[in-house]
Amino acid sequence: MKWPNRRTVLSNLAWVLAFAVIYSGIRAWQHRDLVHGLAPQFSATTLQGKTFTLAGKRDKPLLVHFWASWCRICRMEQSSIDSIARDHDVITIAIDAADPIALKRYVQNHGIQASVIPDRSGLAARFGIRGVPTDFIVDREGRIRFIEVGYSSEWGLRARLWLAGRD
């Protein structure tokens, strides 16, 4: 077996380092305005008519998923969010809630199973949301442990929920 020469190895390492720096810069820019630390406390009514409260301690970690009906990436991710909601605590917040009847119709037409809160009170602004989808993993103490902006895989979100549940 022939080993690559030193120049090739250094060139490849330089590319990997450049990618890591660019990736880290993009993530830092995406997260610049998002809330960190303790999750903002709120109480709201879901489309399903139930009251949801994010306050104090919880029994297990929570996925807070911000989305919009016009967002194609959100649509691609929705089946994963619904799947996670069968096993974990999940609340989804629709940022395009100007017309609650249209939002209800959208949720029914797309078979969304997770609880949906229409964002009529500015929850997205309180969390610092600038783009969707955005996911927050909140641990049992109410601290934001992980933030993801853009598409996130089901297994990635499940792993973060699992990590947030370990004390």
Side-chain angles (χ1 to χ4, degrees):
M1 177 177 174
K2 184 178 177 184
W3 293 97
N5 65 32
R6 184 178 178 155
R7 183 181 222 169
T8 302
V9 170
L10 290 176
S11 174
N12 289 341
L13 284 174
W15 278 108
V16 168
L17 180 60
F19 175 80
V21 168
I22 291 168
Y23 177 78
S24 297
I26 290 170
R27 283 190 53 92
W29 182 79
Q30 287 178 324
H31 291 203
R32 71 193 182 285
D33 295 323
L34 297 174
V35 68
H36 291 79
L38 287 176
Q41 297 185 11
F42 67 89
S43 185
T45 303
T46 67
L47 284 180
Q48 296 82 357
K50 296 179 181 174
T51 300
F52 174 84
T53 302
L54 178 57
K57 294 187 179 193
R58 308 186 60 76
D59 292 338
K60 53 186 177 177
L62 168 72
L63 169 61
V64 180
H65 175 70
F66 286 87
W67 63 281
S69 62
W70 47 261
C71 169
R72 292 179 192 257
I73 296 171
C74 299
R75 276 185 242 147
M76 290 172 32
E77 194 176 47
Q78 192 57 54
S79 64
S80 296
I81 300 300
D82 284 337
S83 176
I84 293 168
R86 287 191 282 276
D87 304 322
H88 296 279
D89 288 349
V90 174
I91 191 70
T92 71
I93 302 169
I95 66 166
D96 57 347
D99 182 357
I101 294 169
L103 180 60
K104 263 188 185 180
R105 192 175 314 119
Y106 178 88
V107 167
Q108 289 171 344
N109 290 342
H110 287 83
I112 295 173
Q113 300 298 311
S115 296
V116 177
I117 294 175
D119 188 13
R120 289 178 267 210
S121 60
L123 290 173
R126 290 181 60 199
F127 276 81
I129 302 295
R130 291 193 176 264
V132 289
T134 299
D135 299 300
F136 293 87
I137 306 290
V138 180
D139 69 13
R140 291 184 267 207
E141 302 297 319
R143 294 182 310 255
I144 296 170
R145 294 283 300 272
F146 300 98
I147 301 171
E148 291 303 319
V149 178
Y151 182 83
S152 295
S153 71
E154 179 178 344
W155 291 109
L157 291 171
R158 285 181 181 278
R160 288 172 182 86
L161 283 160
W162 179 77
L163 288 170
R166 298 189 61 188
D167 291 328

